[in-house]
Amino acid sequence: SLPFRVTPSSGGGLVVHGEAAFVPDAADADRLLLPALDDDGEPVVVSIDPGAPGLDVHAQPVLDTTRRLARVRAEGVEVAEGVEVADADGDAVVWRFLGEPAAAVAALRDRAAVAVACDSLGLSEAMLDATVAYAGVRQQFGRPIGSFQAVKHACADMLVQVSVARELVAAAVEQVAAADPAAAVAVSMAKAYACGTAVDVVGKALQLHGGIGYTWESGLHVYLKRATLDRVLFGSPPAHRQRLSARHL
């Protein structure tokens, strides 16, 4: 279900109510697009100025300092019907989808999930590269730690995970870009695997870096925090796996 609702007001117009938490970049946006249900239960998009009366955008600090998230709350924000870009004076306008609204909203969610999966894949690749490079220069017992069998096996496991994630993400991106009706399956597979893998890969990178990996100066904690947030943005791995399993019920 969508977090906002557009309903008729006592004055004959339309108002928006609802709340959404952990909205990326909302605190810095010049314009917000709120997904909502109208009085008939049909999905719409409300284009609104962040400073509109009745709209509150409150920053929500999280452990991942590379992102800015916010809580968006609408309490009786007045809006108008419209089919074009909002007026220059910043009036809020309700936009309606062409075609099937529910499918359009689902496609938007899939695009967001794929974008986060791409980010997680990049995190995993960066951590694999950094770990292999470190294992080649860090010496223990007179030789690089990368020569030890246990370290080789751990790096090989990371490579396998990253390679699988890359294939799943590539397939999802291709299907979403082509507007494939079956893209939802590829999206959930990519989101569930790539985002879960990113947390595992960063965790292994921390271990293989040894004590320095757990220090603030190493910077690895930044990747772990971002990967952890990626895992829950636009659907956690369990949520996407449940979505996939629903096909067989």
Side-chain angles (χ1 to χ4, degrees):
S1 62
L2 299 180
F4 297 94
R5 188 152 188 111
V6 178
T7 58
S9 67
S10 57
L14 297 173
V15 292
V16 179
H17 292 276
E19 181 178 340
F22 302 106
V23 181
D25 303 315
D28 302 311
D30 296 324
R31 197 78 184 172
L32 295 176
L33 301 178
L34 309 183
L37 294 175
D38 66 8
D39 203 41
D40 296 323
E42 182 174 292
V44 297
V45 172
V46 180
S47 173
I48 193 168
D49 189 289
L55 187 70
D56 177 58
V57 182
H58 185 72
Q60 288 183 286
V62 293
L63 286 177
D64 176 17
T65 57
T66 65
R67 285 194 178 100
R68 286 174 58 82
L69 294 96
R71 181 184 299 275
V72 179
R73 180 184 292 111
E75 296 182 355
V77 181
E78 295 183 2
V79 297
E81 284 281 2
V83 295
E84 298 181 352
V85 177
D87 298 334
D89 60 4
D91 289 343
V93 177
V94 176
W95 294 346
R96 297 189 179 276
F97 291 98
L98 295 176
E100 178 55 45
V105 171
L108 288 173
R109 285 175 169 165
D110 284 343
R111 282 180 176 271
V114 166
V116 176
C118 289
D119 189 77
S120 288
L121 174 60
L123 286 171
S124 299
E125 291 177 335
M127 284 293 92
L128 174 59
D129 291 343
T131 303
V132 171
Y134 180 79
V137 298
R138 175 69 168 93
Q139 300 234 345
Q140 193 69 266
F141 305 112
R143 58 176 176 160
I145 62 172
S147 65
F148 300 145
Q149 189 176 49
V151 175
K152 290 180 180 179
H153 285 174
C155 288
D157 288 342
M158 293 168 69
L159 176 60
V160 170
Q161 289 179 292
V162 170
S163 298
V164 173
R166 187 183 298 117
E167 292 300 319
L168 290 173
V169 170
V173 168
E174 181 179 354
Q175 292 187 33
V176 167
D180 190 327
V185 173
V187 168
S188 287
M189 291 174 67
K191 180 65 171 67
Y193 188 86
C195 293
T197 289
V199 176
D200 292 340
V201 168
V202 178
K204 289 179 182 176
L206 284 166
Q207 291 179 330
L208 293 176
H209 274 75
I212 190 66
Y214 291 86
T215 65
W216 192 266
E217 290 78 7
S218 73
L220 298 186
H221 65 95
V222 175
Y223 291 88
L224 179 61
K225 293 171 183 177
R226 189 174 178 99
T228 302
L229 182 58
D230 275 354
R231 186 169 56 182
V232 297
L233 281 179
F234 300 105
S236 65
H240 279 280
R241 286 194 289 268
Q242 185 176 22
R243 183 188 186 191
L244 289 169
S245 65
R247 298 175 302 153
H248 306 291
L249 297 178

